[in-house]
Amino acid sequence: MSLLKRLSESPDERPDAVRVSGTALSGVELLRCATAVADRVHGLDRVAIEATPTMETVVGVVGALLAGVAVVPVPADAGAMERAHMFRDSGAAALLAPKGAGEAEGSGPPVVPVDLALRSDRTRPEPDPERAALILYTSGTTGAPKGVVISRRSIAACLDALADAWAWTPDDLLVHGLPLFHVHGLVLGVLGPLRHGSRLDHVGRPQPARYAAAGGTMYFGVPTVWSRVAAAPESARALRGARLLVSGSAALPAAVFADLAELTGHRIVERYGMTETLITVSARADGPRLPGTVGVRLPGVRTRLVDERGGPVPADGEAMGELLVAGPTLFSGYLNRPDADAASTTGDGWFRTGDVATIGPDGSHRIVGRASTDLIKSGGYRIGAGEIEDALLAHPGVREAAVIGVPDPDLGQRVTAYVVADGVTGPDLIEFVARNLAVHKRPRAVHLLDALPRNALGKVQKKLLGQGARRDDATETSH
Ligand code: MCA
Ligand code: AMP
């Protein structure tokens, strides 16, 4: 079966089958357009793509997938350091970018333009399902982001399991505005509709008014998006006609769940996953949806809890343990990082999520927190404290840096930096990180200290940050 089953086998003739930031194509035309890209990249191993929220990104990704070429999405707001790392580490042979966009400065691979005016009707055999479909860069607690290699088979397994859980059919119109460089927006939000044959309206940015105007049956958002929808009652009420509202990528606050239930008439469906595992647990369209729980295992997925020594923790709904997952949706490994592969798996097929959870006797999962405070979730983005600390330390004025996530009503957590520095201001450092990494990874607040709190062994005591003396006032950004 083709990865993009419906698109490849019975493409939608409706002229607005796929709409991205206002540009619409029928499935038939999308397939022909993407085939022209496939003709250009066929034979390559991997290509990078400028993952802007545009039709060109969708066409480029689909074209590469048709040709069996793995795609490395480059975040639209990625800075110089991050781009250089992704190009070097992935070894991408080409960079797909909208025709006429011109390459951003820096020495990336040769640009292959995606031209929406080109068409091709060539057909090619379905690539081996074990081949890599995507390499997604994602943060760990330390160091530069790692490339998560995701096979075509894993994506197909995840999307089919979600179709079962959410009763996702060609009659649906999926609406969202999530970034196209992560699992949520790209795999679920683009490849999902193309596999299952539903229409897609990607509204560019996940703004409440745009969601309201789109008239979808199914909506995706991260908790920050849903909290903003709940704060815009008129837009929220416009979602009453939908079939399913889905939240994921971070914990949905119970108050947002309750507000949305009142305004939209929908109990939001929560689901849980990771870049490395894709989506593994979800509330079902035909099942209970309880605030604070993320639902039950998807078909084919196994989960269990372990204590700090790897011993079993009972699934009694009370006992907490680290959540391990196994099954057909798991990634193939980290690119060039056998050390990270070994550290993240048990050796017998279980992936260590690093999330602390409970599992009830009814199979319902509750995510309680993370084992490490060094992975921050802000606006649904996963941000490694170590990566931001390294970026801050690359500034010549910075002597020491420690980064934590501070609770934030809008973003879930707010990236907050504590630095010891000379002759540099908080805004300088925020700008420095935004330019070198990605805008969404920038600290939202920088506190300048005389020294970082350390224990007798010299290790920074992050728990004390925020409580200690400050050398001067914090710099808070407007967000
Ligand atoms: C502010 N801006 C700046 C700066 N400061 N630009 C440059 N330099 C600066 N110093 C500008 C930005 O360019 C942008 O402008 C504007 O400020 C807002 O940016 P930001 O604050 O980053 O955005 P936000 O509005 O706060 O974003 C909230 C959001 C976003 C829309 C919810 O966080 C988001 O899209 N999150 C989704 C994350 C996601 O998809 N995660 C899935 C991964 P302008 O507005 O003009 O552009 S998880 C996953 O895939 C798993 C498997 C799962 O479970 O789903
Ligand atoms: P990422 O790889 O960016 O998708 O981040 C994965 C992490 O997001 C997980 O390890 C969880 O910590 C978090 N996450 C995803 N979905 C949920 C959810 N529904 N509730 C709580 N945390 C979530």
Side-chain angles (χ1 to χ4, degrees):
M1 189 200 285
S2 315
L3 172 58
L4 306 175
K5 184 176 182 314
R6 285 280 181 157
L7 181 77
S8 298
E9 295 169 14
S10 50
D12 198 329
E13 292 181 8
R14 291 172 288 188
D16 59 350
V18 177
R19 185 183 296 277
V20 187
S21 297
T23 301
L25 283 177
S26 68
V28 175
E29 292 308 306
L30 169 58
L31 182 61
R32 298 180 68 217
C33 218
T35 302
V37 173
D39 293 347
R40 288 289 304 270
V41 300
H42 185 79
L44 301 180
D45 201 23
R46 298 167 193 155
V47 295
I49 186 162
E50 297 284 5
T52 51
T54 57
M55 183 62 88
E56 281 87 348
T57 298
V58 172
V59 166
V61 169
V62 172
L65 292 177
L66 291 173
V69 178
V71 181
V72 183
V74 178
D77 64 350
M81 259 161 58
E82 198 166 8
R83 291 172 68 88
H85 168 67
M86 291 171 78
F87 291 144
R88 194 174 45 243
D89 187 64
S90 71
L95 172 64
L96 294 171
K99 180 173 180 269
E103 200 208 335
E105 59 186 274
S107 52
V111 171
V112 171
V114 176
D115 183 349
L116 297 185
L118 295 181
R119 299 286 188 277
S120 166
D121 293 309
R122 185 191 293 249
T123 55
R124 23 176 79 76
E126 176 67 9
D128 182 347
E130 296 311 327
R131 279 187 80 91
L134 297 173
I135 300 172
L136 299 182
Y137 277 82
T138 191
S139 301
T141 51
T142 57
K146 299 187 286 282
V148 174
V149 182
I150 303 172
S151 71
R152 303 171 71 96
R153 186 193 293 285
S154 299
I155 291 176
C158 173
L159 293 175
D160 290 351
L162 290 177
D164 178 78
W166 299 342
W168 188 346
T169 75
D171 293 334
D172 278 309
L173 166 58
L174 172 66
V175 175
H176 71 93
L178 296 166
L180 298 185
F181 46 86
H182 281 310
V183 166
H184 199 163
L186 183 59
V187 176
L188 277 57
V190 172
L191 304 185
L194 301 180
R195 183 168 178 84
H196 298 315
S198 65
R199 283 188 299 146
L200 165 66
D201 188 353
H202 186 292
V203 296
R205 297 287 298 260
Q207 291 162 352
R210 296 191 190 180
Y211 275 32
T217 63
M218 193 159 58
Y219 285 83
F220 290 169
V222 297
T224 301
V225 171
W226 289 120
S227 136
R228 293 178 185 183
V229 169
E234 210 172 303
S235 295
R237 282 190 206 99
L239 306 187
R240 282 191 165 264
R243 186 177 70 77
L244 210 65
L245 311 184
V246 185
S247 179
S249 307
L252 183 73
V256 176
F257 182 100
D259 289 350
L260 283 173
E262 196 182 314
L263 290 163
T264 67
H266 290 284
R267 293 171 73 80
I268 203 156
V269 162
E270 250 207 280
R271 93 293 178 289
Y272 161 85
M274 284 187 83
T275 307
E276 290 89 336
T277 65
L278 304 182
I279 309 307
T280 48
V281 174
S282 178
R284 297 183 56 89
D286 58 3
R289 305 163 197 182
L290 301 172
T293 66
V294 293
V296 295
R297 296 171 191 100
L298 288 175
V301 171
R302 289 169 293 144
T303 62
R304 65 189 174 99
L305 301 175
V306 293
D307 63 23
E308 274 153 20
R309 282 160 312 182
V313 168
D316 60 7
E318 298 285 335
M320 293 183 224
E322 183 186 0
L323 184 65
L324 305 191
V325 300
T329 64
L330 259 52
F331 72 139
S332 314
Y334 294 109
L335 191 67
N336 309 323
R337 293 293 304 274
D339 57 324
D341 288 343
S344 65
T345 50
T346 57
D348 58 352
W350 291 88
F351 178 79
R352 301 178 206 270
T353 65
D355 289 310
V356 178
T358 65
I359 304 176
D362 59 353
S364 132
H365 292 59
R366 204 155 52 87
I367 307 298
V368 184
R370 283 203 64 87
S372 166
T373 53
D374 282 342
L375 266 193
I376 299 165
K377 266 273 157 167
S378 188
Y381 287 113
R382 171 168 149 189
I383 299 170
E387 187 189 7
I388 312 305
E389 288 158 5
D390 290 348
L392 289 165
L393 288 167
H395 190 288
V398 174
R399 284 189 277 139
E400 297 179 64
V403 167
I404 59 172
V406 168
D408 182 277
D410 179 46
L411 296 169
Q413 285 182 299
R414 180 167 72 240
V415 176
T416 303
Y418 293 82
V419 297
V420 180
D422 302 309
V424 63
T425 67
D428 293 341
L429 293 176
I430 291 170
E431 193 51 42
F432 185 73
V433 174
R435 202 170 53 243
N436 281 302
L437 297 181
V439 172
H440 67 262
K441 291 184 177 174
R442 71 192 185 279
R444 305 294 172 125
V446 172
H447 300 280
L448 295 170
L449 303 182
D450 290 326
L452 295 181
R454 294 182 184 270
N455 65 14
L457 298 172
K459 190 171 157 27
V460 176
Q461 293 184 288
K462 290 199 171 180
K463 286 206 174 80
L464 297 182
L465 289 171
Q467 301 165 14
R470 284 175 197 158
R471 198 176 78 191
D472 60 17
D473 288 335
T475 297
E476 299 274 350
T477 62
S478 54
H479 295 284

